[in-house]
């Protein structure tokens, strides 16, 4: 991929906004960056995360709870000791010393039904760098794949928990088309969000969502 930013972002949805903001700002120590309205009564509270962004999404209408997601844990690098945490929705967050297990900034741990299928997708379809069996890198972000045949496939993106990753690219349409040509599954076709970004979604063999984002603040004016 032709990356516009060498870090993947992570998006979650919650029905417990005040508790989640306190957790990520005070316990994890992520600086709040900005609030973005997404339309339809949904707001995104963006937090800096070692070059990545944690997107805490909250809407007026509650989202389903307990729906499957393949994102099992975030590993966030920082100076200091290990801390094993769960946020108010039960999502696993591990704070690790910088460099632990090659985590320099952020790692995302996935549970996948078939390691072979997931490795083909992340390596051959998306073109992420293969480091070792079950280990890929996109920019500075590590993806750690663990096989669990009992892992249920993910359905709709809206639901509590870690729900999607975002990759920032220079040309959303070109990257989206290349992924489909290589056998990827479309989640949503490219569309432009005002003057902010042009985005699309693709899905892995387990249904997990990846947002392809061409953000104007990184790449310049968006195509019309």
């Amino acid at each position: 991929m032709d990356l516009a930013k060498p870090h993947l972002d992570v998006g979650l949805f919650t029905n417990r906004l005040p508790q989640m903001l306190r957790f990520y700002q005070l316990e994890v120590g992520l600086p709040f960056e900005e609030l973005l309205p997404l339309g339809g009564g949904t707001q995104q509270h963006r937090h800096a995360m070692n070059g990545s962004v944690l997107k805490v999404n909250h809407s007026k209408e509650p989202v389903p709870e307990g729906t499957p997601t393949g994102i099992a844990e975030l590993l966030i690098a920082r100076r200091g000791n290990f801390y094993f945490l769960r946020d108010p929705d039960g999502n696993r967050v591990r704070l690790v010393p910088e460099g632990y297990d090659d985590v320099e900034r952020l790692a995302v741990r996935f549970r996948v039904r078939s390691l072979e299928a997931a490795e083909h997708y992340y390596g051959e379809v998306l073109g992420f760098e293969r480091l070792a069996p079950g280990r890929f890198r996109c920019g500075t972000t590590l993806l750690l794949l663990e096989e669990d045949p009992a892992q249920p496939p993910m359905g709709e993106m809206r639901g509590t928990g870690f729900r999607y990753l975002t990759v920032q690219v220079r040309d959303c349409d070109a990257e989206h088309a290349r992924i489909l040509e290589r056998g990827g599954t479309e989640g949503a076709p490219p569309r432009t969000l005002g003057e902010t970004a042009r985005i699309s979604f693709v899905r892995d063999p387990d249904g997990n969502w990846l947002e392809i984002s061409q953000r104007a603040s990184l790449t310049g004016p968006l195509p019309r």
Side-chain angles (χ1 to χ4, degrees):
M1 286 188 176
D2 186 8
L3 301 179
K5 186 181 80 167
H7 320 289
L8 294 180
D9 303 328
V10 181
L12 66 82
F13 284 87
T14 185
N15 295 320
R16 301 172 179 85
L17 181 62
Q19 299 94 319
M20 293 286 273
L21 293 181
R22 284 197 299 270
F23 174 83
Y24 283 103
Q25 292 173 15
L26 300 180
E27 293 193 44
V28 180
L30 302 184
F32 175 77
E33 286 192 327
E34 61 177 329
L35 175 64
L36 289 181
L38 300 182
T42 301
Q43 293 183 326
Q44 184 175 97
H45 302 253
R46 297 169 65 88
H47 295 75
M49 186 167 58
N50 292 345
S52 299
V53 175
L54 179 70
K55 306 174 182 181
V56 179
N57 298 303
H58 179 264
S59 62
K60 293 180 180 179
E61 297 297 325
V63 297
E65 304 212 13
T67 56
T69 175
I71 302 178
E73 185 179 35
L74 300 186
L75 288 77
I76 303 172
R78 70 171 196 175
R79 295 180 180 177
N81 297 321
F82 290 89
Y83 289 92
F84 296 83
L85 306 172
R86 285 187 182 270
D87 71 18
D89 283 338
N91 304 306
R92 293 173 60 93
V93 178
R94 196 183 332 173
L95 306 182
V96 302
E98 293 175 347
Y100 165 78
D101 200 21
D102 295 327
V103 181
E104 298 295 338
R105 292 175 179 264
L106 175 70
V108 182
R109 185 165 63 85
F110 276 86
R111 292 194 184 99
V112 299
R113 289 174 294 171
S114 167
L115 185 58
E116 180 180 6
E119 286 187 328
H120 173 77
Y121 174 79
Y122 286 99
E124 305 304 322
V125 177
L126 295 187
F128 291 176
E129 179 185 4
R130 188 190 303 267
L131 302 176
R135 296 175 69 91
F136 290 84
R137 181 165 57 199
C138 179
T140 66
T141 306
L142 292 180
L143 297 184
L144 310 176
L145 310 179
E146 297 181 0
E147 188 172 69
D148 179 0
Q151 173 66 29
M154 185 174 178
E156 293 302 313
M157 187 170 65
R158 288 174 63 85
T160 57
F162 300 128
R163 306 303 293 184
Y164 64 98
L165 302 182
T166 300
V167 60
Q168 297 290 345
V169 301
R170 299 191 183 280
D171 189 329
C172 171
D173 293 74
E175 299 294 352
H176 186 89
R178 276 197 287 268
I179 290 168
L180 298 189
E181 289 170 2
R182 294 170 183 165
T185 299
E186 184 173 73
R191 68 184 189 275
T192 300
L193 305 177
E195 303 295 326
T196 303
R198 185 163 176 80
I199 67 169
S200 68
F201 288 90
V202 294
R203 305 181 73 178
D204 75 5
D206 293 285
N208 296 298
W209 296 74
L210 175 68
E211 180 185 23
I212 311 297
S213 173
Q214 179 182 345
R215 193 168 176 82
S217 62
L218 297 173
T219 65
L222 301 171
R224 297 292 182 180

